[in-house]
Amino acid sequence: MYTQAMDTAPKEDDGRKAVRSAEQMQLEAQFDARIDEGGFIEAKDWMPEHYRKTLVRQISQHAHSEIVGMLPEGNWITRAPTLKRKAILLAKVQDEAGHGLYLYSAAETLGTSRDQMVDALHTGRAKYSSIFNYPTLTWADMGTIGWLVDGAAIMNQVPICRCSYAPYARAMIRICREESFHQRQGFEALLVMMQQGTEAQKAMVQDAVDRWWWPSIMMFGPPDDQSPNSAQSMRWGIKRFSNDDLRAKFIDAAIEQAKVLGVTLPDPELKWNEERQHHDHGAIDWSEFWRVVGGDGPCNRERLAARVGAWEDGAWVREAALVHAARRAAPQPIAA
Amino acid sequence: MSNPNPANATHPDTSAEWPLWEVFVRSRSGLDHKHCGSLHAADPKMAVQMARDVYTRRQEGTSVWVVRSDQIVASDPADKSMYFDPMEDKVYRHPTFYKLPGSVDHM
């Protein structure tokens, strides 16, 4: 599902002011030239330490988002209205587990271990997309998450398919190919309710859209003028479009989709701006965004507790599997 | 893949991690197995099962191979030019190097 605000962590001191050897400067020049010509960086190629750190942070947080992102939807698997919708939701949640695994693997190529990443998540050092700290109150939330949350995720993720770090780009290609189903199934589920549903079901869809709209457009991260690490990520080909550009593109598309659906978006200031060739929108409540990122959203504690619980409850399985493998690998005693 | 970065070595819990495996998938009969990613698994049987679940959820494969990442021997990226550039000027290894009369050029 997704990533947001991955460049919101405090800028690390990358030691760029430190004294560098001539050899290191040459390596950096070669690295920059490769990025400039649109080339890819592979796992064992030389890379600046800050590039490595930035990627570990972004990819691991992206992976955590996929894993934590299973929780709000998992809530509805046993409550899906039909067997068809249940099978679809199961497939979608299974995809998210898969996406998390592709991404953890990509991050591991940079020299971090899976356990280190999991530990960073469980101790609160690593973030995940704050959209998953909102509750899923009704069945319409499943469709709305597919349409808006996965829609925003796709808008964010497609450019990462051309990320300069090749293992990340390859994982993203696979993810984007699978993610399109997520958005389409969500939109279709909402469409069925809006076209064939009762008044109460239609009202349920509108309520879900009202609740998810603002958090969805926050997924693109803070405005460009408050996004201090963006320029460096753009320079390195990790990021291709600015937060505000992607947000504008998403809003333009969503407005047309909302018309087809027959729902309204909860922002009276949405209006086409001929000059910008995009829709203007009302002010985003960034204090809410930072509050949720900071840990004080509606479900932050519940989400983290669920992840830590799953990890701890599974510890004996992980250990037993290793012991079993070691015994099987050991030479068998010769029967007398 | 195994990594030159020493970060792994300094982490106390790394020994408890399931080993890493590289996954290769044959998308259909007649094609090569192709590397598609990696995963952690406790043993070979689990690695094959997990490769199926993680990498072939949409019939992307008809066969999977898994191999322990620490068993792969790879060329050194630092030797890339030394290893591969000497082939750059051997254009006579390609059929297009030879100009033949039109009447026999489909040879």
Side-chain angles (χ1 to χ4, degrees), chain A residues 20-323:
Chain A
R20 286 170 297 166
S21 68
E23 188 197 12
Q24 184 147 23
M25 286 172 76
Q26 194 194 357
L27 286 167
E28 275 195 35
Q30 284 169 357
F31 176 88
D32 287 345
R34 195 135 144 218
I35 299 274
D36 289 344
E37 66 194 24
F40 285 106
I41 307 301
E42 290 287 353
K44 293 190 177 181
D45 293 340
W46 185 90
M47 63 187 82
E49 211 37 48
H50 189 46
Y51 177 85
R52 186 186 296 276
K53 274 191 194 159
T54 300
L55 280 165
V56 166
R57 192 180 70 218
Q58 177 168 336
I59 302 171
S60 64
Q61 295 189 359
H62 193 165
H64 299 327
S65 300
E66 298 283 354
I67 300 301
V68 177
M70 292 193 282
L71 297 171
E73 291 176 309
N75 187 40
W76 283 92
I77 290 175
T78 56
R79 298 175 175 91
T82 64
L83 186 58
K84 174 184 142 184
R85 293 293 172 194
K86 185 174 184 167
I88 291 169
L89 190 55
L90 270 171
K92 181 176 189 290
V93 172
Q94 195 191 12
D95 272 354
E96 278 146 17
H99 296 176
L101 295 178
Y102 306 156
L103 289 163
Y104 280 131
S105 294
E108 281 171 83
T109 64
L110 290 158
T112 181
S113 77
R114 182 77 57 97
D115 282 357
Q116 282 174 311
M117 289 186 276
V118 169
D119 187 58
L121 173 68
H122 292 177
T123 54
R125 280 177 290 126
K127 300 287 183 211
Y128 53 86
S129 181
S130 57
I131 193 85
F132 304 121
N133 290 317
Y134 290 86
T136 46
L137 304 179
T138 69
W139 170 250
D141 287 27
M142 293 302 96
T144 309
I145 285 177
W147 171 38
L148 295 177
V149 176
D150 291 311
I154 292 169
M155 205 65 95
N156 257 314
Q157 287 173 334
V158 167
I160 311 176
C161 295
R162 291 187 290 121
C163 172
S164 61
Y165 187 58
Y168 190 26
R170 287 194 287 266
M172 287 315 305
I173 289 170
R174 191 177 285 276
I175 289 171
C176 286
R177 212 160 41 206
E178 298 179 352
E179 195 91 38
S180 162
F181 134 66
H182 296 186
Q183 189 185 19
R184 292 174 68 96
Q185 66 81 32
F187 191 85
E188 194 245 10
L190 296 180
L191 198 60
V192 168
M193 285 190 273
M194 291 305 290
Q195 291 183 343
Q196 300 165 33
T198 61
E199 286 309 311
Q201 287 168 329
K202 289 179 194 174
M204 181 172 75
V205 172
Q206 182 63 58
D207 167 67
V209 172
D210 288 347
R211 281 182 291 109
W212 288 97
W213 173 253
W214 289 103
S216 296
I217 64 171
M218 290 178 194
M219 284 175 68
F220 296 92
D224 294 347
D225 55 7
Q226 294 163 39
S227 189
N229 297 325
S230 282
Q232 181 64 77
S233 284
M234 292 260 207
R235 169 69 190 82
W236 276 334
I238 295 172
K239 199 178 170 96
R240 299 283 179 186
F241 299 98
S242 80
N243 295 353
D244 286 335
D245 286 350
L246 288 169
R247 184 167 18 242
K249 212 173 143 193
F250 173 75
I251 290 173
D252 292 343
I255 286 172
E256 293 310 307
Q257 291 157 355
K259 284 181 195 156
V260 174
L261 215 46
V263 295
T264 57
L265 298 173
D267 180 359
E269 293 177 53
L270 284 176
K271 193 164 153 268
W272 179 251
N273 181 326
E274 188 62 33
E275 196 184 325
R276 285 175 58 233
Q277 289 292 301
H278 285 298
H279 289 83
D280 288 335
H281 58 81
I284 297 173
D285 181 3
W286 291 110
S287 65
E288 173 183 329
F289 173 80
W290 290 114
R291 191 163 49 77
V292 180
V293 168
D296 203 18
C299 301
N300 295 54
R301 285 170 202 85
E302 184 186 332
R303 300 291 184 238
L304 207 54
R307 285 315 313 155
V308 172
W311 180 256
E312 287 174 355
D313 291 348
W316 71 272
V317 179
R318 293 192 300 277
E319 285 163 26
L322 274 183
V323 172

Side-chain angles (χ1 to χ4, degrees), chain B residues 25 51-64:
Chain B
V25 171
R52 185 201 61 169
D53 292 343
V54 178
Y55 291 104
T56 66
R57 287 193 301 282
R58 287 175 177 75
Q59 289 191 298
E60 291 93 336
T62 57
S63 163
V64 290

